[in-house]
Amino acid sequence: SSPSYSSGTSSSASSIISAKLSPAPSIRDVQTALRNAGFYTGNVDGKVGPLTHDSVKKFQRANNLTTDGVIGRQTWDKLKDYL
């Protein structure tokens, strides 16, 4: 059997940013926008942790978006206004 290198369970950028979103924002941009919007209180460190993931969901819920914790086109279109 061939080894699987991407299990999808790591906290990489791909876990919260849709593969279909191009160009994809950096995690730092996502965290900065979430913080400016009042949904993220953590450090802007470019790392995806539980706080970043939860903040994405809270932003989506507040903006009547699909609350899946994944940044797709609709989420990013609203979120990038806060950069």
Side-chain angles (χ1 to χ4, degrees), residues 19-41:
K20 296 175 186 172
L21 184 57
S22 180
S26 71
I27 296 301
R28 286 181 184 273
D29 282 349
V30 168
Q31 290 172 329
T32 299
L34 285 167
R35 190 163 73 175
N36 291 344
F39 290 90
Y40 180 69
T41 57

Side-chain angles (χ1 to χ4, degrees), residues 9 20 23 29 33 37 41-42 44 51-52 59 62 64 68 70-71 75-76:
T9 56
K20 296 175 186 172
D29 282 349
T41 57
V44 177
L51 187 59
T52 303
F59 178 84
N64 297 314
D68 56 5
V70 176
I71 297 170
T75 299
W76 185 239

